[in-house]
Amino acid sequence: MIFPLAVFLLQMGSSRCGLPFYNGFYYDRVMNDKGDTSGEVQFSGVKLMVETSPEAIYTHRGANITLPCHYHYAPKLHVPRKIRVKWSKLREDNTKEQDVLVASGSKHRSFGEFRGRTWLLQASSQEASLVIHDLRLRDSGKYRCEVIDGLEDESGIVDLELQGVVFPFQPHHGRYMLNFHEAKKACEEQDAVIASFGQLFKSWMDGLDWCNAGWLIDGTVQYPITVPREPCGGKDMAPGLRNYGERHKNLHRFDVFCFSSALKGTVYYLTGHQKLTLEEAKQACQDDGAEIAKVGQLYSAWKLVGLDRCDAGWLADGSVRYPITSPRPNCGPPEPGVRSFGFPKVGKFGVYCYKMS
Ligand SMILES: *[C@@H]1O[C@H](CO)[C@@H](O)[C@H](O)[C@H]1NC(C)=O
């Protein structure tokens, strides 16, 4: 993008010498045939270039990371120029970008949930990398590094991905009960966030097969099928994500796909107890200095820590599940997974607790 330069600057410059020259930059004066001096000025000859990481950066919740961004001028400048840097986060639904940080000289300011945990890293003279501490689930996505030099404005994109696990979620009151807003909230209540298309796609590649449609963060409703079958989009369709497209966020109701990443604490099956009701189970975890585990926490422990336990236990949403990484007889199907007993109205079970470490 090219910004107009104040006219007087150029006129001063060009009146003093033949070739307009200012601070290492060449300018062309653009005039129409009538010699109109209305003053559209273009900057040419020197190009500002911004370079970011072409590869996605993979990390996990809780990590401290640097999103690399460097800039330079071509041809090279000998006089350093004052620049401003702006980092923003692209939104999944392509609405307005979210401000992350702006910096000018040694001053910088970060915004919203990025306040207090983002900095600009200027280890070398033409660096404008972004440091983010204590990554949250919502931090994953694409970031724009924008360098503004007053004349030119160039940007590059960095893709930040969290390693984690996608799981389908349906609340205790049944299938297809959540509108988009409720779906988002349901994931958050399970220590997770609503999944992105990229996250669901990656899970499908890893073998996720689920025949109930769920919301994604971009407002579409989809489900992943690895073994095509009649009730799941048809036997003759290729494996893939079945897509219902964008749905009305208030009126339409489905399940949801949630995403979770590494945990700060630990999930464990509480031993040394008789079988419990849900209320007793919550209390038993508290008595152990912990809390009853959320669904996202059990999935995270299963996928990222390899939790394997053939004992059904209560979770915070009122479901009963158990995590299997090494499938064996009497512990569910031959594939690894988190097995679910649904939401039992009667009966006693064990419990999975979550303790902060
Ligand atoms: C991130 O940085 C902070 C401050 O330097 C430090 O206290 C914390 O331990 C770091 N976290 C990780 C996961 O390295």
Side-chain angles (χ1 to χ4, degrees):
M1 259 209 293
I2 295 168
F3 288 142
L5 175 78
V7 182
F8 70 91
L9 232 179
L10 178 86
Q11 286 172 335
M12 272 169 53
S14 55
S15 62
R16 282 186 195 156
C17 55
L19 182 68
F21 181 78
Y22 173 71
N23 203 16
F25 282 79
Y26 293 94
Y27 303 106
D28 285 333
R29 185 170 179 177
V30 180
M31 297 166 83
N32 64 24
D33 295 344
K34 293 176 209 125
D36 184 358
T37 52
S38 67
E40 213 197 326
V41 172
Q42 282 190 351
F43 150 78
S44 71
V46 177
K47 220 170 141 35
L48 170 63
M49 301 211 256
V50 171
E51 279 164 20
T52 50
S53 162
E55 308 276 311
I57 294 183
Y58 279 94
T59 182
H60 54 86
R61 173 161 59 178
N64 297 338
I65 48 105
T66 302
L67 304 183
C69 180
H70 292 84
Y71 63 94
H72 66 270
Y73 296 92
K76 218 166 162 177
L77 291 186
H78 299 292
V79 186
R81 288 182 56 85
K82 262 204 169 144
I83 51 113
R84 286 190 298 130
V85 176
K86 180 177 176 196
W87 277 92
S88 45
K89 186 168 188 289
L90 278 55
R91 291 192 204 265
E92 288 284 342
D93 52 7
N94 293 321
T95 53
K96 200 173 166 294
E97 293 178 10
Q98 180 185 3
D99 290 336
V100 175
L101 174 144
V102 290
S104 176
S106 60
K107 292 197 206 87
H108 75 84
R109 182 171 166 210
S110 23
F111 300 91
E113 52 196 317
F114 293 99
R115 214 171 284 160
R117 58 188 189 100
T118 48
W119 293 271
L120 204 63
L121 180 68
Q122 292 174 299
S124 59
S125 67
Q126 297 189 328
E127 177 166 13
S129 302
L130 181 73
V131 176
I132 312 179
H133 273 192
D134 195 17
L135 279 181
R136 299 171 186 175
L137 291 176
R138 284 224 295 257
D139 292 343
S140 78
K142 292 187 167 63
Y143 290 75
R144 181 192 303 282
C145 169
E146 193 173 357
V147 178
I148 304 145
D149 145 298
L151 299 163
E152 265 205 307
D153 165 347
E154 286 297 330
S155 68
I157 303 285
V158 187
D159 193 3
L160 172 65
E161 300 282 343
L162 296 185
Q163 274 153 355
V165 57
V166 169
F167 60 94
F169 184 80
Q170 130 183 150
H172 66 90
H173 50 289
R175 181 173 185 254
Y176 290 178
M177 299 300 275
L178 305 170
N179 71 22
F180 176 78
H181 309 287
E182 292 159 352
K184 255 178 100 169
K185 194 156 163 274
C187 291
E188 281 157 21
E189 285 168 359
Q190 298 310 317
D191 196 15
V193 287
I194 186 168
S196 67
F197 173 81
Q199 289 164 345
L200 183 64
F201 187 79
K202 192 162 174 293
S203 300
W204 168 74
M205 301 245 287
D206 290 346
L208 185 66
D209 183 289
W210 193 254
C211 200
N212 295 303
W215 288 103
L216 297 177
I217 182 73
D218 60 6
T220 62
V221 170
Q222 317 206 19
Y223 61 98
I225 293 298
T226 50
V227 185
R229 49 200 188 275
E230 210 44 63
C232 314
K235 267 207 295 276
D236 302 329
M237 269 181 79
L241 295 186
R242 310 284 189 242
N243 188 353
Y244 287 8
E246 268 183 50
R247 290 304 167 117
H248 195 290
K249 288 183 176 171
N250 296 330
L251 298 181
H252 293 148
R253 293 179 181 272
F254 294 95
D255 294 345
V256 60
F257 289 97
C258 306
F259 173 81
S260 186
S261 180
L263 299 172
K264 286 191 175 158
T266 317
V267 175
Y268 59 98
Y269 182 80
L270 188 66
T271 53
H273 270 273
Q274 303 289 324
K275 297 280 188 263
L276 309 161
T277 65
L278 176 58
E279 287 316 308
E280 290 165 350
K282 287 179 181 169
Q283 188 59 49
C285 287
Q286 280 184 19
D287 293 346
D288 204 45
E291 272 181 49
I292 187 166
K294 296 172 174 169
V295 179
Q297 293 166 343
L298 185 68
Y299 268 94
S300 175
W302 164 71
K303 181 78 174 185
L304 304 174
V305 189
L307 186 66
D308 183 293
R309 181 99 201 185
C310 199
D311 291 298
W314 290 107
L315 295 176
D317 67 333
S319 62
V320 169
R321 309 183 197 226
Y322 62 97
I324 295 296
T325 46
S326 315
R328 49 199 182 274
N330 303 322
C331 301
E335 307 83 32
V338 171
R339 327 293 195 203
S340 179
F341 282 54
F343 299 88
K345 294 217 168 51
V346 291
K348 295 189 167 196
F349 301 90
V351 60
Y352 288 91
C353 306
Y354 175 73
K355 194 179 271 183
M356 284 298 283
S357 43

